[in-house]
Structures are given as structure tokens and as C-alpha cells.
Amino acid sequence: MPTDSAVIALVNDVCAQFARAEVARALAGHSTSHAEHATLTERAARFDALVDERWRELVKAIRAGLPGAAQVERFMPVRPLTNGHVELHVHDTSARRLVVLLTGAQALAVGAHMTANGALVLDRIGQKLDPGLPHVKAAPPFATGSAVRPATPDGAAGPPVARS
């Protein structure tokens, strides 16, 4: 059974190989000679082959991690409507089906709050999500007119530096 880190690594690899193939194709479209075009097209084909290979590995890893009884739901738990609203299909504590109608803004707010609460709960029970996430550059504080300086200067990479 694959670990969550292994699955995330496979996802990252599929994305990276796909991006490399797209870049090679874009460069081939702007090449100045037939030889350069052929080289870049061949490079894109190699990256596409790697995408296909890694994709099969990713599908195999995901299927290995799913319980045998897992099935596709017959309905979408969240369904966007053509009028900009969103239906949220849920069950109450008595297993009664409910449909909650939300505006687009309400649906985004609910989703953001659920994600934040889920991250907090996982953090409190000891599951750290940050090793599987890409590093985010520290941003300056949102308060304007504040004397507080950002943890890292613009363009700096790496984790924030503590200042005293």
C-alpha cells in the first residue's frame, strides 16, 4: 500500500513531466531551424512517455489505497447550477438527505472554512500536512501603515527569518 508521501510524489512527478513536455512543445513552435524543431519535438515526446508511465503508476497507487468496497457515488455531493448557485447534498445525523442551496460566494466561504478546519484538526491530532506542500514565500502583513516589516524581503526564497 503506497504512503501519502509516495502518492504526492507521483502527482508532483506527473505534473512536472507534463509541464516539461508543454515547454518543449512551445519552444518547438518558436524554433528557428528544422533540427532544433526536431530535437524539441522529440524531447516533448520523451516527456509525454514519462507522463504516461507515471500516470499509470499513480492510478495503480490510488487504486491500491482505496478500500475494495469504494464505489462512485450516483450523485454529485456538490453541484454547480447554471444560475451561479451551488447545491450541497448532505445527510443529517438521522441519515435523512438534505439539499442546501448556496450562492457562489457562500459556497466558496464554506469550502474555505471546511478546509481550514480540517487542516487545524489534522494538525491537532499530530498529522502534519506541510511536508507534502510546496513552500510558500512569506508575504508582507496585510495591515497598511504598520511599522512591521515582512519576514523576508521581496524575491527572497526560503523560510521566514525570525527578527527580534
Side-chain angles (χ1 to χ4, degrees), residues 22-102:
E22 289 296 305
V23 167
R25 266 190 288 284
L27 290 173
H30 296 286
S31 59
T32 57
S33 70
H34 291 294
E36 182 183 22
H37 184 272
T39 300
L40 290 168
T41 302
E42 187 270 330
R43 184 178 298 161
R46 276 196 325 247
F47 289 133
D48 282 335
L50 285 171
V51 168
D52 291 342
E53 178 186 329
R54 298 297 192 273
W55 178 259
R56 284 189 295 275
E57 291 174 22
L58 177 60
V59 169
K60 184 177 174 184
I62 290 173
R63 287 190 175 144
L66 290 176
Q71 297 178 0
V72 175
E73 291 286 338
R74 291 181 305 195
F75 69 95
M76 291 174 39
V78 177
R79 188 173 74 130
L81 303 176
T82 56
N83 63 359
H85 287 80
V86 176
E87 281 184 353
L88 179 61
H89 295 255
V90 296
H91 294 92
D92 68 4
T93 55
S94 301
R96 292 180 296 199
R97 287 186 174 194
L98 301 171
V99 177
V100 179
L101 184 62
L102 304 167

Side-chain angles (χ1 to χ4, degrees), residues 137-138 152-158:
K137 186 182 98 169
T152 59
D154 270 354

